[in-house]
């Protein structure tokens, strides 16, 4: 009886949290539409949004600001969900697609493509997620194999260390590959790596959206499985879970989501870490609650970071990834310092 | 109970734990020195213009300013080779000191925030004080190296249960992410990204005599200091309890070792940029060959590190002329698989 009550309370709490977060997200979205290089008053933004406004305002809002805002929202959602899944699968609260080296694998593939195809404008938006996917899976497979030992399965510490090793190696390679580019290309890649949400047109929204529409429902559907994992391998098998198969499916979903996101946003870390952690604080440890809540938190975080990055300096943009890392890394270190051995 | 959940240590008395093979060590040091001299000679002789070895010898003993080969040797190749050897030894010894001091198999200056710290401070320097002399840059990168390592160790050891390898690596990668993000922000704002990247991937190309003049006293002093500390490091590597039980002033030894690491890694990073994995691999290889007594591990590491750096640089120059493959990429190419191997062998399953 108590159990049922508790469960219902949690569900109500999650619903309320989701509504509040959605309102916050909406607020940030409105603010974000008002932020930018050319000034537009909130009333002008609203008028333009509903069909009024000058052609110039129309252009600024619909062609420059909105696509970027939508991408920040989607990428925030995607990375937070990917992080939650990775934390559940590895049973390591410090897992994140950036830390585990998956982002750097995706980044390597994208950078290789950019270097070998200077005329990227025409073809790339739809292609980039696929390329990133190949790189991300390459990285994930290497890390998985390195962390796997026969009779012992996957060890979470080896998983994390292999990810860090791979990311360090890939970074060394990337610097080497980019250093001889001409300054324009180099700047493009440098801002991309810093996580600048560079693909800010509707083409990129269309390239990203199908991935999320397919993958996020799978993640939500499998969320209960993550709760079973958290009980430990023996209990999970006892409850009839086909551990390795389920784990693999979830890993594939997480890697694919983060690859698609990284392809359009560039290397943004720590969203996958912050989202789920804050979500757990708000609604407790059950993944069916954690995943939707962390998705909205991720969206709010990235949207805010991008907005601040766009407006904090007069003549330059700070990439959203840099802003997220400046907040996220200290939080990560704080979690690390608190964690038990 | 040892606090280390790291090394597969046998539960034996301290004396028995310090196994070493002095004869192997001496033969590796002597053989390594011979190989190093041969490697340097080869590295000086080969390049876009091959110069016969007799000519190299002539250039060294009887320099003739009118001879263009002698000019190439003195102005381009010799400083580069010397810098490679110095820096290779410095990285390797700083890794050995870190691993011994922290009893942590994955300690490496690159992974633990030295590169990121130095990079951050140099980004600040490039942005706000362009035109600093090399001497000043070296001092600043000492500071940066110290900041990086200090943050990583400080935060890593705040945690209950102390510094496990995973914790240290995570702290290292998060601190690096933070410092790199800050440097990126600065670099993009001041439009110095590519300058910074050039430095970061720099390698030993373009090292000048003026730089070496500043570099070598620091590195040689720190190497001598490390040798003097080696006995204490060996005892420290048995664990704090054992060390203080044997009457060692652990805090003092740590301080000395940290200073040595700071100078070795800071000086090297400021000269050749970020070269990772060297400080990780070489001490492991050295320990596997000569045992865990740092009296032997440190000199062996120095020789092997210098050798690897000179060989890697030569290979990088000759493999794909006229382009150079940066030495940091070549070393990462060996380093990443070696790191995977260490993770599989030496890291236990718990976090």
């Amino acid at each position: 009886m108590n159990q049922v009550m508790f469960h219902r309370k949690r569900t109500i709490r999650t619903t309320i949290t989701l509504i509040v977060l959605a309102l916050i997200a909406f607020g940030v979205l409105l603010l974000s539409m008002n932020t930018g290089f050319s000034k537009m008053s909130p009333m002008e933004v609203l008028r333009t949004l509903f069909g009024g406004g000058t052609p110039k305002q129309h252009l600024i809002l619909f062609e420059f600001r909105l696509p970027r805002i939508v991408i920040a929202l989607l990428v925030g959602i995607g990375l937070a969900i990917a992080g939650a899944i990775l934390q559940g699968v590895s049973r390591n609260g410090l897992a994140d697609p950036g830390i585990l080296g998956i982002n750097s694998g995706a980044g390597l593939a994208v950078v290789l493509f950019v270097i070998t195809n200077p005329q990227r404008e025409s073809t790339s938006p739809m292609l980039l997620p696929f390329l990133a996917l190949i790189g991300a899976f390459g990285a994930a497979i290497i890390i998985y194999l390195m962390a796997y030992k026969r009779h012992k399965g996957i060890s979470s510490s080896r998983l994390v260390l292999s990810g860090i090793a791979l990311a360090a190696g890939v970074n060394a390679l990337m610097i080497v590959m980019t250093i001889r580019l001409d300054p324009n290309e180099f700047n493009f890649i440098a801002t991309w790596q810093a996580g600048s949400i560079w693909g800010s047109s509707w083409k990129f929204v269309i390239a990203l959206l199908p991935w999320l529409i397919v993958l996020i429902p799978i993640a939500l559907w499998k969320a209960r499985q993550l709760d079973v994992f958290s009980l430990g391998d023996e209990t999970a098998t006892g409850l009839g879970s086909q551990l390795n198969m389920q784990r693999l499916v979830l890993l594939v979903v997480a890697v694919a989501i983060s690859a698609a996101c990284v392809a359009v946003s560039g290397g943004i870390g720590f969203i996958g870490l912050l989202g789920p952690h804050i979500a757990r604080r708000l609604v407790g440890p059950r993944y069916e609650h954690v995943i939707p809540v962390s998705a909205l938190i991720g969206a709010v975080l990235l949207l805010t970071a991008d907005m601040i990055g766009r407006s904090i300096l007069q003549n330059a943009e700070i990439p959203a990834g840099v802003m997220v890392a400046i907040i996220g890394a200290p939080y990560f270190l704080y979690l690390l310092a608190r964690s038990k051995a | 109970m040892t606090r280390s959940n790291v090394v597969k240590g046998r539960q034996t008395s301290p004396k028995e734990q310090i196994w070493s093979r002095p004869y192997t060590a001496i033969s590796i040091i002597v053989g390594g020195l011979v190989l190093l001299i041969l490697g340097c000679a080869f590295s000086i002789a080969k390049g876009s213009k091959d110069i016969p070895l007799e000519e190299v010898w002539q250039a060294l003993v009887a320099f003739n300013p009118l001879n263009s080969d002698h000019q190439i040797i003195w102005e381009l190749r010799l400083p580069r080779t010397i810098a490679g050897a110095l820096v290779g030894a410095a990285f390797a010894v700083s890794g050995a000191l870190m691993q011994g001091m922290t009893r942590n198999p994955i300690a490496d200056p690159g992974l633990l925030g030295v590169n990121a710290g130095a990079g951050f401070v140099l980004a600040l320097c490039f942005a706000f004080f362009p035109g600093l002399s090399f001497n000043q840059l070296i001092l600043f990168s000492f500071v940066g190296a110290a900041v990086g390592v200090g943050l990583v160790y400080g935060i890593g050891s705040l945690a209950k249960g102390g510094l496990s390898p995973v914790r240290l690596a995570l702290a290292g990668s998060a601190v690096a992410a933070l410092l790199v993000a800050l440097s990126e922000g600065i670099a993009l704002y001041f439009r110095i990204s590519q300058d910074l990247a050039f430095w970061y991937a720099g390698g030993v190309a373009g090292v000048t005599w003026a730089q070496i003049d500043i570099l070598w006293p620091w590195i040689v002093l720190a190497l001598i200091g490390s040798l003097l500390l080696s006995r204490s490091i060996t005892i420290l590597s048995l664990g704090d309890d054992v060390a203080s039980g044997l009457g060692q002033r652990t805090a003092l030894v740590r301080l000395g070792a940290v200073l040595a690491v700071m100078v070795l890694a800071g000086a090297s990073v400021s000269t050749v940029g970020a070269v990772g994995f060297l400080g990780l691999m070489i001490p492991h290889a050295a320990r596997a060959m000569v045992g865990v007594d740092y009296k032997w591990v440190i000199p062996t590491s120095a020789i092997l590190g210098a050798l690897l750096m000179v060989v890697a640089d030569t290979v990088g120059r000759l493999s794909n002329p006229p382009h150079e493959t940066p030495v940091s990429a070549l070393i990462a190419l060996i380093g990443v698989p070696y790191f995977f191997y260490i993770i599989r062998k030496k890291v236990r399953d718990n976090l």
Side-chain angles (χ1 to χ4, degrees), chain A residues 255-275:
Chain A
V255 172
I257 293 178
S258 37
C261 289
V262 168
V264 292
S265 73
I268 293 178
F270 295 105
I271 292 275
L273 179 96
L274 292 170

Side-chain angles (χ1 to χ4, degrees), chain A residues 6-90:
Chain A
F6 182 72
H7 192 184
R8 183 176 294 162
K9 231 165 129 185
R10 282 283 187 197
T11 313
I12 293 170
R13 188 168 176 174
T14 306
T15 318
I16 295 171
T17 313
L18 282 175
I19 293 169
V20 173
L21 279 172
L23 287 176
I24 295 176
F26 189 69
V28 177
L29 197 137
L30 286 181
L31 259 179
S32 198
M33 282 196 285
N34 288 306
T35 313
F37 183 66
S38 40
K39 290 247 180 313
M40 277 168 85
S41 74
M43 279 315 290
E44 282 173 333
V45 167
L46 276 184
R47 208 179 304 138
T48 315
L49 206 55
F50 293 108
T54 64
K56 191 183 162 217
Q57 288 170 340
H58 201 270
L59 182 76
I60 290 174
L61 192 62
F62 282 97
E63 293 305 315
F64 295 129
R65 287 192 193 163
L66 266 180
R68 180 158 177 167
I69 288 169
V70 172
I71 284 180
L73 273 176
L74 292 177
V75 169
I77 290 174
L79 288 178
I81 290 181
I85 297 176
L86 289 176
Q87 289 174 15
V89 172
S90 67

Side-chain angles (χ1 to χ4, degrees), chain B residues 246-265:
Chain B
L246 291 172
Q248 191 183 60
R249 292 158 78 181
T250 51
L252 205 66
V253 175
R254 277 234 161 80
L255 184 70
V258 166
L259 281 177
V261 166
M262 205 178 98
V263 169
L264 289 170

Side-chain angles (χ1 to χ4, degrees), chain A:
Chain A
M1 194 59 202
N2 247 343
Q3 201 81 27
V4 175
M5 285 282 287
F6 182 72
H7 192 184
R8 183 176 294 162
K9 231 165 129 185
R10 282 283 187 197
T11 313
I12 293 170
R13 188 168 176 174
T14 306
T15 318
I16 295 171
T17 313
L18 282 175
I19 293 169
V20 173
L21 279 172
L23 287 176
I24 295 176
F26 189 69
V28 177
L29 197 137
L30 286 181
L31 259 179
S32 198
M33 282 196 285
N34 288 306
T35 313
F37 183 66
S38 40
K39 290 247 180 313
M40 277 168 85
S41 74
M43 279 315 290
E44 282 173 333
V45 167
L46 276 184
R47 208 179 304 138
T48 315
L49 206 55
F50 293 108
T54 64
K56 191 183 162 217
Q57 288 170 340
H58 201 270
L59 182 76
I60 290 174
L61 192 62
F62 282 97
E63 293 305 315
F64 295 129
R65 287 192 193 163
L66 266 180
R68 180 158 177 167
I69 288 169
V70 172
I71 284 180
L73 273 176
L74 292 177
V75 169
I77 290 174
L79 288 178
I81 290 181
I85 297 176
L86 289 176
Q87 289 174 15
V89 172
S90 67
R91 281 197 278 146
N92 184 340
L94 298 173
D96 164 273
I99 295 275
L100 285 184
I102 292 168
N103 285 358
S104 56
L108 184 66
V110 172
V111 168
L112 270 178
F113 176 74
V114 170
I115 290 174
T116 48
N117 294 280
Q119 294 92 9
R120 61 181 172 278
E121 302 296 340
S122 49
T123 49
S124 43
M126 302 306 277
L127 197 61
L128 276 179
F130 286 99
L131 287 168
L133 204 67
I134 296 171
F137 273 108
I141 289 169
I142 293 175
I143 297 164
Y144 194 88
L145 288 180
M146 287 304 134
Y148 185 82
K149 268 190 183 171
R150 211 184 295 167
H151 309 306
K152 285 185 183 166
I154 287 286
S155 122
S156 130
S157 30
R158 281 199 301 268
L159 198 69
V160 171
L161 286 175
S162 310
I164 291 172
L166 192 76
V170 168
N171 286 343
L173 270 184
M174 290 241 249
I175 290 172
V176 168
M177 289 193 313
T178 52
I179 194 143
R180 274 198 223 92
L181 296 174
D182 72 81
N184 277 332
E185 291 277 290
F186 180 86
N187 269 335
F188 169 78
I189 290 183
T191 19
W192 184 88
Q193 280 181 310
S196 60
I197 316 197
W198 64 284
S200 47
S201 74
W202 292 112
K203 277 191 293 187
F204 291 91
V205 177
I206 294 166
L208 174 61
L209 204 55
W211 294 85
L212 298 184
I213 289 177
V214 174
L215 293 170
I216 289 177
I218 301 180
L220 289 172
W221 172 50
K222 291 275 180 192
R224 298 197 79 120
Q225 195 61 48
L226 289 170
D227 292 322
V228 178
F229 287 153
S230 66
L231 300 172
D233 281 8
E234 281 176 23
T235 322
T237 318
L239 289 173
S241 171
Q242 292 172 293
L243 271 188
N244 285 329
M245 195 57 213
Q246 298 287 357
R247 206 176 262 157
L248 201 64
V249 172
L250 277 160
L251 267 180
V252 168
V253 169
V255 172
I257 293 178
S258 37
C261 289
V262 168
V264 292
S265 73
I268 293 178
F270 295 105
I271 292 275
L273 179 96
L274 292 170
H277 269 274
I278 300 173
R280 258 179 235 125
R281 289 262 167 115
L282 294 173
V283 297
R286 290 179 69 110
Y287 277 94
E288 49 184 327
H289 304 315
V290 167
I291 287 188
V293 172
S294 63
L296 279 183
I297 292 172
V300 171
L301 281 176
L302 192 52
L303 204 53
T304 316
D306 187 41
M307 185 173 74
I308 296 174
R310 272 190 296 153
S311 53
I312 198 169
L313 295 176
Q314 286 294 313
N315 59 344
E317 260 180 31
I318 300 181
V322 169
M323 296 301 301
V324 174
I326 290 171
I327 311 165
Y331 186 71
F332 179 89
L333 291 169
Y334 161 77
L335 289 176
L336 186 71
R338 270 173 30 115
S339 67
K340 293 185 195 87

